[in-house]
């Protein structure tokens, strides 16, 4: 821990002053390897629409937007979203326009199993994803399929969802069906997306579906069962599918980088604890040599539980058998990361929560430097040096695991000139080049997101898309932003050219008009003539 603390002491000197400085290379090699994968990411509920067609069941988000529509910032929903259930061929055209080699998408659990359980499989859902995956393969795009991106079948939520340990079996059955139907073509499986965010907002503070408020108990139970469910899906693949399908299975974890607010011992420890409660809570059980939760988290939650008069820790321990069952159950780390935090600790932070909370257990608070460029999301400011720090930390802490960056992006308002996003991608990809030069085993990068989508409780008030989606157009027309043109150039050249300044309104510099758009225009002209 001494080396770790020294790193944090150094990092506290690199916050505000470094925020707007372009990353400097640690190596003369400033190009991405030829075999480095570039792609984009989406999630089923956020883009698919078609919420009740072809036998799909109701998800927890379908249920939320009907029972509590005011919970969404603009009272919107994902009933249609980007309409990708019907527009998926256009989405794949967009990937080809970018030159992307990979696509991370998610499969809707209730579209495959409308009642949540494996006793009834919806063949129309299977057929849809078969057609979609076939189209990706036909266009030489590698599918990265996420099994679960937060759209739990409502029937399972009514049985307790991720707070019910039976979900480990339910998820295992679901994973087996996915392997059986798609594993001959899908060679990269992502089991569960962002347990910290899903458990924190869904089962901790009730900001996301299923709106459960239990930050000191439900939050931990959710995470515990996600770790066990990931292990179940991984073990099933190992035992029954790996030898014939030759794929890989990994989990999607998320974290920001944490800087101490000062060089005080309290703040340095707080920054360490931030990573322990956000990243290591899920990484240590899978990627560490010993397995299990970080000892600092175990001790802190036990002490807080005892002080609250409880007879057992709110962080229910794993048995030794479960520790061994979970350890090693990810062939790679899928990492979602967006920003950085400055972390502090003082006496005002203790005992402030009436309800037991994992935030209270961690005994810290965070803020961001005002000089870091702001996005449309209050939680997201650009600070690329933190991205580099996080990747190096993961390399040093977990024996340099294989990593795919499966989400990284910047929110904006509608419009094609998105220079904030352009700067973000350039700086973060430059930081990634520095991490590669440092020896980090990062194999691919997926921009979030391919197109504008339903941003959960924020609805359509924040736009993350490389492509703008006209949400007022029944066809949900997609148009490339400036960032799409810049990303295309980076993918093509494998270098970052800060001087490249395309105009998204310049048709000579934009993408070639796709076949589907030509067809649409042709039909319109014919109708006008007739």
């Amino acid at each position: 821990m001494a080396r770790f603390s020294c790193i944090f002491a150094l990092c506290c000197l690199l916050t505000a002053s470094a925020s707007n400085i372009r990353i400097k290379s640690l190596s003369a090699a400033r190009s991405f390897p030829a075999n480095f994968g570039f792609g984009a990411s989406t999630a089923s509920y956020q883009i698919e629409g078609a919420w009740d067609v072809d036998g799909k069941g109701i998800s927890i988000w379908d249920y939320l937007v009907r029972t509590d529509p005011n919970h969404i910032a603009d009272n919107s929903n994902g009933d249609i979203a980007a309409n990708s259930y019907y527009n998926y061929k256009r989405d794949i055209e967009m990937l080809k326009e970018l030159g992307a080699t990979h696509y991370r998408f998610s499969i809707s659990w209730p579209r495959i199993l409308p009642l949540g359980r494996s006793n009834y499989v919806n063949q129309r859902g299977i057929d849809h994803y078969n057609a979609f995956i076939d189209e990706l393969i036909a266009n030489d795009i590698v599918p990265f399929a996420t099994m679960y991106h937060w759209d739990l079948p409502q029937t399972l939520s009514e049985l307790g969802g991720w707070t019910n340990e039976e979900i480990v079996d339910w998820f295992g059955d679901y994973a087996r069906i996915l392997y059986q139907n798609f594993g001959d073509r899908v060679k990269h499986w992502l089991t569960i997306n962002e347990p910290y965010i899903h458990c924190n907002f869904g089962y901790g503070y009730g900001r996301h579906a299923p709106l459960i408020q239990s930050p000191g108990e439900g939050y931990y139970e959710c995470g515990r069962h996600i770790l066990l469910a990931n292990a179940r899906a991984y073990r099933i693949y190992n035992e029954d599918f790996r030898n014939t399908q030759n794929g890989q299975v990994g989990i999607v974890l998320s974290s920001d980088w944490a800087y101490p607010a000062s060089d005080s011992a309290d703040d340095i420890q707080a920054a360490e604890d931030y990573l322990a409660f956000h990243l290591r809570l899920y990484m240590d059980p899978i990627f560490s040599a010993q397995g299990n939760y970080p000892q600092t988290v175990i001790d802190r939650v036990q002490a807080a539980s005892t002080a609250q008069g409880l007879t057992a820790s709110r962080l229910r321990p794993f048995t030794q058998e479960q520790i061994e069952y979970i350890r090693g159950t990810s062939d790679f780390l899928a990492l979602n990361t967006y920003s950085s935090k400055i972390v502090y600790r003082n006496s005002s932070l203790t005992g402030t929560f009436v309800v037991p909370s994992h935030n209270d257990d961690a005994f810290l608070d965070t803020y961001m430097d005002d000089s870091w460029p702001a996005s449309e999301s209050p939680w997201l400011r650009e600070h690329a040096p933190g991205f580099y720090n996080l990747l190096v930390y993961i390399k040093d802490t977990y024996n340099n695991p294989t990593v795919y960056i499966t989400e990284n992006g910047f929110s904006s308002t509608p419009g094609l000139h998105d220079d904030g996003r352009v700067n973000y991608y350039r700086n973060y990809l430059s930081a990634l080049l520095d991490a590669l030069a440092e020896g980090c085993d990062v194999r691919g990068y997926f921009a979030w997101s391919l197109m504008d989508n339903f941003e959960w409780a924020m609805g359509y008030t924040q736009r993350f898309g490389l492509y703008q989606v006209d949400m007022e157009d029944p066809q949900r027309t997609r148009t490339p932003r400036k960032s799409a043109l810049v990303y295309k150039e980076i993918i093509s050249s494998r270098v970052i050219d800060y001087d490249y300044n395309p105009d998204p309104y310049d048709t000579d510099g934009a993408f070639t008009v796709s076949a589907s758009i030509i067809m649409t225009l042709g039909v319109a002209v014919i109708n006008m003539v007739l």
Side-chain angles (χ1 to χ4, degrees), residues 356-514:
S357 160
H358 62 276
N359 281 340
D360 206 19
D361 296 334
F363 181 28
L364 55 85
D365 208 347
T366 67
Y367 63 94
M368 290 180 288
D369 194 307
D370 288 341
S371 70
W372 298 349
S375 72
E376 286 301 305
S377 306
W379 53 269
L380 201 173
R381 285 178 176 267
E382 179 204 320
H383 184 68
F387 183 34
Y388 167 83
N389 292 334
L390 180 63
L391 291 175
V392 173
Y393 171 80
I394 289 170
K395 175 181 78 75
D396 292 345
T397 306
Y398 298 100
N399 194 29
N400 203 15
T402 296
V403 176
Y404 291 93
I405 306 302
T406 44
E407 285 186 29
N408 184 238
F410 190 83
S411 61
S412 67
T413 56
L416 301 187
H417 279 287
D418 56 340
D419 289 311
R421 183 177 291 108
V422 168
N423 292 333
Y424 181 96
Y425 279 134
R426 283 172 168 163
N427 289 336
Y428 272 69
L429 285 168
S430 184
L432 178 51
L433 280 172
D434 289 342
L436 291 173
E438 190 72 14
C440 297
D441 186 15
V442 183
R443 305 285 181 90
Y445 176 92
F446 297 74
W448 182 272
S449 174
L450 177 61
M451 73 201 88
D452 291 339
N453 52 53
F454 178 81
E455 282 297 329
W456 308 115
M458 298 312 299
Y460 301 101
T461 63
Q462 299 170 3
R463 304 298 183 97
F464 278 86
L466 290 164
Y467 282 74
Q468 177 168 275
V469 178
D470 184 350
M471 296 297 176
E472 302 302 319
D473 180 357
Q475 302 303 315
R476 297 302 195 267
T477 305
R478 288 101 154 100
T479 307
R481 290 190 166 103
K482 182 177 179 178
S483 58
L485 303 178
V486 169
Y487 191 45
K488 173 186 174 70
E489 174 65 19
I490 292 171
I491 294 173
S492 174
S493 67
R494 302 272 146 174
V495 299
I496 302 168
D497 181 0
Y498 279 86
D499 296 322
Y500 178 57
N501 187 34
D503 182 355
Y505 292 98
D506 179 3
T507 55
D508 291 333
F511 298 131
T512 303
V513 178
S514 69

Side-chain angles (χ1 to χ4, degrees), residues 187-203:
K187 304 303 177 184
H188 296 84
W189 290 103
L190 312 179
T191 56
I192 299 165
N193 184 71
E194 296 182 340
Y196 170 76
I197 300 295
H198 189 42
C199 295
N200 185 34
F201 287 168
Y203 295 85

Side-chain angles (χ1 to χ4, degrees), residues 93-362:
E93 284 182 347
M94 287 148 53
L95 291 163
K96 293 292 287 184
E97 290 168 359
L98 291 169
T101 54
H102 296 65
Y103 185 42
R104 181 201 168 199
F105 62 96
S106 76
I107 295 171
S108 169
W109 189 340
R111 202 177 291 284
I112 300 296
L113 303 177
L115 302 178
R117 306 291 293 275
S118 60
N119 58 328
Y120 171 59
V121 179
N122 178 28
Q123 186 59 45
R124 286 173 291 180
I126 298 290
D127 293 344
H128 168 74
Y129 289 112
N130 268 326
F132 172 69
I133 292 166
D134 286 346
E135 189 77 9
L136 286 172
I137 300 297
N139 283 276
D140 299 318
I141 296 171
V142 178
F144 273 58
T146 306
M147 299 178 184
Y148 179 71
H149 201 127
W150 305 354
D151 47 354
L152 187 71
Q154 176 63 21
T155 52
L156 300 187
S157 185
E158 291 170 2
L159 296 175
W162 287 103
T163 63
N164 184 342
E165 192 156 344
E166 288 188 46
I167 201 168
V168 177
D169 294 328
W170 304 335
F171 186 74
D173 293 342
Y174 168 55
R176 180 180 295 277
I177 289 168
L178 298 187
Y179 298 146
Q180 289 170 339
N181 285 278
F182 312 123
D184 59 325
R185 288 150 293 155
V186 174
K187 304 303 177 184
H188 296 84
W189 290 103
L190 312 179
T191 56
I192 299 165
N193 184 71
E194 296 182 340
Y196 170 76
I197 300 295
H198 189 42
C199 295
N200 185 34
F201 287 168
Y203 295 85
Y205 291 102
R207 298 175 189 170
H208 287 179
L211 302 184
I212 292 174
Q213 297 184 27
S214 180
E217 295 178 271
Y219 164 77
Y220 288 127
E221 285 293 282
C222 170
R224 182 179 191 276
H225 297 151
I226 282 179
L227 287 166
L228 287 167
N230 168 78
R232 178 64 53 84
Y234 184 91
R235 300 295 182 190
I236 288 171
Y237 193 80
N238 261 8
E239 294 165 8
D240 298 335
F241 297 95
R242 190 181 294 273
N243 287 341
T244 57
Q245 296 184 355
N246 299 311
Q248 294 186 318
V249 179
I251 192 169
V252 187
L253 301 182
S254 62
S255 184
D256 294 332
W257 179 245
Y259 292 101
S262 73
D263 60 359
S264 72
D266 275 351
D267 287 345
I268 291 172
Q269 184 62 51
E272 294 179 22
D273 289 347
Y274 178 93
L275 291 178
F277 274 83
H278 288 74
L279 177 67
R280 291 181 52 212
L281 185 68
Y282 304 100
M283 276 206 76
D284 277 24
I286 298 172
F287 290 94
S288 70
Q290 73 278 5
N292 206 0
Y293 295 125
Q295 192 62 46
T296 183
V297 176
I298 294 172
D299 293 344
R300 199 176 287 276
V301 181
Q302 178 64 71
S305 300
T306 300
Q308 290 155 359
L310 301 175
T311 57
S313 175
R314 290 179 278 101
L315 179 64
R316 190 153 57 104
F318 292 118
T319 65
Q320 189 59 43
E321 181 181 9
Q322 288 171 327
I323 290 171
E324 295 302 320
Y325 188 73
I326 294 170
R327 189 166 59 89
T329 54
S330 197
D331 296 317
F332 55 86
L333 169 63
L335 178 65
N336 296 352
T337 183
Y338 288 87
S339 192
S340 294
K341 296 290 190 296
I342 301 171
V343 188
Y344 67 94
R345 171 173 292 151
N346 59 43
S347 59
S348 69
L349 297 173
T350 186
T352 57
F353 292 89
V354 175
V355 177
S357 160
H358 62 276
N359 281 340
D360 206 19
D361 296 334

